[in-house]
Amino acid sequence: MNLNYPPAPIALDKLTRLKDLFAMLNAGRHVNRLAEPVLWAELEREAAQYERVFGALGYELRIDGRGYAWFQTGEASGTVSKATRQLALLFMLIFEQQADAGQHLGRFVEWRIDRPLLTALLDKNRALLDAEGLAELDALQQLLDTAVRYGFADAANGAWRLLPAVFRYLDRFEELAGNADLAGESIALAAQQGEAP
């Protein structure tokens, strides 16, 4: 006998930060454990309820156990797409710079992104940054301020700190690197078998 019981009602009185969380997530921002500990604790405590409420409103809440959450969207506006592309480039260059300096990539939330680091990054990658209209220190700082608005960074005392939401980019970088390695291996194997062009 299959009984289809309706889902238990959502206890809205327990969702004390619903308005704050919705406003933040609906604005395209990420909720980060490090930057918004009170909101994060609430979201983590009542995750299933928040997923149901937001799902009923037509939003897909994604929560990553590494300390960040966001609304997954299918389509992005041209402005968001440009900002996303520029942030991806900036984060990739920061990760490359820090890897070259011997920094552990998984501990990026501990890095201090300041003028000297940005200046070195600009000196090393000027042509690439110029192609995106980011070949000036002010442009990089403005882009980091955009990262702050979307919850990928926070700013204090003239410097920025990357937040856990940057894992979304790091995961993608690692996926792309893995695919490039796989493609390289396939080309090498084809060359060994005499199938390469």
Side-chain angles (χ1 to χ4, degrees):
M1 177 185 208
N2 185 7
L3 299 175
N4 289 327
Y5 293 108
I10 298 171
L12 291 175
D13 58 321
K14 292 176 105 180
L15 306 182
T16 59
R17 302 289 180 171
L18 179 61
K19 181 179 174 184
D20 297 332
L21 283 166
F22 181 75
M24 182 178 226
L25 293 165
N26 193 43
R29 295 204 53 202
H30 290 75
V31 175
N32 282 280
R33 171 182 40 84
L34 296 177
E36 299 90 20
V38 173
L39 290 178
W40 180 257
E42 167 74 10
L43 184 60
E44 200 170 38
R45 184 175 50 82
E46 297 292 342
Q49 295 298 315
Y50 279 110
E51 286 172 346
R52 284 184 60 203
V53 167
F54 294 141
L57 295 171
Y59 297 91
E60 183 182 352
L61 176 64
R62 296 271 181 99
I63 302 172
D64 190 294
R66 294 173 289 187
Y68 63 97
W70 74 100
F71 278 162
Q72 179 66 36
T73 57
E75 298 177 21
S77 70
T79 304
V80 171
S81 180
K82 179 181 178 185
T84 298
R85 185 181 68 246
Q86 289 181 335
L87 285 170
L89 174 62
L90 178 61
F91 294 152
M92 181 186 68
L93 294 176
I94 289 171
F95 277 104
E96 181 181 63
Q97 177 110 352
Q98 295 295 76
D100 290 348
Q103 297 292 323
H104 187 281
L105 298 184
R107 296 175 64 176
F108 63 82
V109 297
E110 298 171 6
W111 301 343
R112 177 180 166 85
I113 313 299
D114 55 12
R115 283 181 73 91
L117 187 140
L118 292 175
T119 300
L121 188 132
L122 188 58
D123 291 343
K124 182 178 178 185
N125 302 287
R126 189 169 301 276
L128 187 56
L129 290 166
D130 190 42
E132 276 295 323
L134 297 170
E136 300 294 329
L137 192 57
D138 286 345
L140 292 178
Q141 291 174 319
Q142 288 173 1
L143 186 56
L144 281 166
D145 289 339
T146 298
V148 170
R149 277 196 307 281
Y150 288 110
F152 290 109
D154 65 2
N157 303 320
W160 295 264
R161 172 180 65 146
L162 302 179
L163 294 172
V166 173
F167 271 116
R168 289 185 69 190
Y169 285 95
L170 183 58
D171 290 347
R172 185 71 175 135
F173 298 153
E174 289 175 348
E175 178 185 324
L176 291 172
N179 289 342
D181 291 344
L182 183 59
E185 290 170 11
S186 296
I187 290 169
L189 181 61
Q192 289 174 351
Q193 296 174 350
E195 299 173 6

